[in-house]
Amino acid sequence: MADLADKESGGILYLEDHVPGSVVRFGTVLAEEGAMIEFASRYDPQVFHVDPVAARKTSFGGLVASGLHTMCMAMRLLVDNYICRVANLGSPGVDELRWLKPVRPGDELSVRLTVLEARPSESKPDRGVIKALVEVLNQTGEIVTSWKGTAIILRRPTLQA
């Protein structure tokens, strides 16, 4: 996103900084086998997520990260590199969550965010809504996970005379 990427790292990003069609990419995070197994053991204990030996006999042919773990790793990248700079009031949710390719131990993940829409609120003039496509990519550039997210973001404060 030219507008977002070019802003100083300390600057707060408001609704007006989000231009539809803008793209920014950031990351990386390593998919570590131990963390994958630990997460899945607690939250998604399917054999291909928790047992490297048994996972070889599944359609995946080996251990793969839980899709939920992949989304959590991407969320950490989003918070550390983007959301922490946004005048963010929260999100009402995500749509079209897809797990497109398996994430394996040793994969390096990054995030690409594309602004799809940015519009002022009709009922609250101090804020607006952005919709963005979030894509999680592996080290070869393949999209492994994607979703469309919505966020409520403050508008740039106006100077009072």
Side-chain angles (χ1 to χ4, degrees):
M1 249 175 266
D3 295 56
L4 300 180
D6 293 342
K7 277 194 80 86
E8 291 183 31
S9 61
I12 301 215
L13 302 171
Y14 295 97
L15 178 69
E16 293 79 8
D17 297 311
H18 294 81
V19 178
S22 299
V23 178
V24 67
R25 186 170 171 169
F26 46 79
T28 63
V29 63
L30 182 65
E32 298 173 338
E33 182 174 301
M36 290 166 55
I37 293 170
E38 181 181 350
F39 181 95
S41 294
R42 291 193 68 185
Y43 304 110
D44 191 1
Q46 298 180 69
V47 68
F48 41 79
H49 296 324
V50 298
D51 187 335
V53 175
R56 288 187 208 132
K57 298 175 186 165
T58 70
S59 61
F60 292 108
L63 192 72
V64 295
S66 164
L68 297 171
H69 187 205
T70 302
M71 191 174 184
C72 287
M73 289 186 284
M75 189 65 193
R76 182 60 192 245
L77 290 174
L78 281 164
V79 169
D80 287 350
N81 295 284
Y82 169 69
I83 294 173
C84 68
R85 298 178 49 217
V86 174
N88 184 25
L89 298 175
S91 171
V94 301
D95 296 305
E96 300 179 38
L97 173 61
R98 301 288 183 265
W99 293 299
L100 302 166
K101 294 204 175 269
V103 172
R104 301 193 181 273
D107 281 355
E108 278 194 13
L109 305 178
S110 62
V111 170
R112 179 172 58 209
L113 183 141
T114 304
V115 176
L116 302 174
E117 178 183 337
R119 63 176 172 76
S121 169
E122 293 178 14
S123 61
K124 297 183 179 177
D126 68 330
R127 64 194 68 184
V129 176
I130 69 160
K131 293 188 178 188
L133 173 63
V134 176
E135 296 169 302
V136 184
L137 299 98
N138 65 17
Q139 65 279 359
T140 62
E142 297 173 294
I143 301 169
V144 298
T145 302
S146 68
W147 68 86
K148 291 181 179 176
T150 303
I152 311 301
I153 297 178
L154 289 174
R155 297 185 74 184
R156 186 174 314 286
T158 57
L159 297 174
Q160 301 298 322

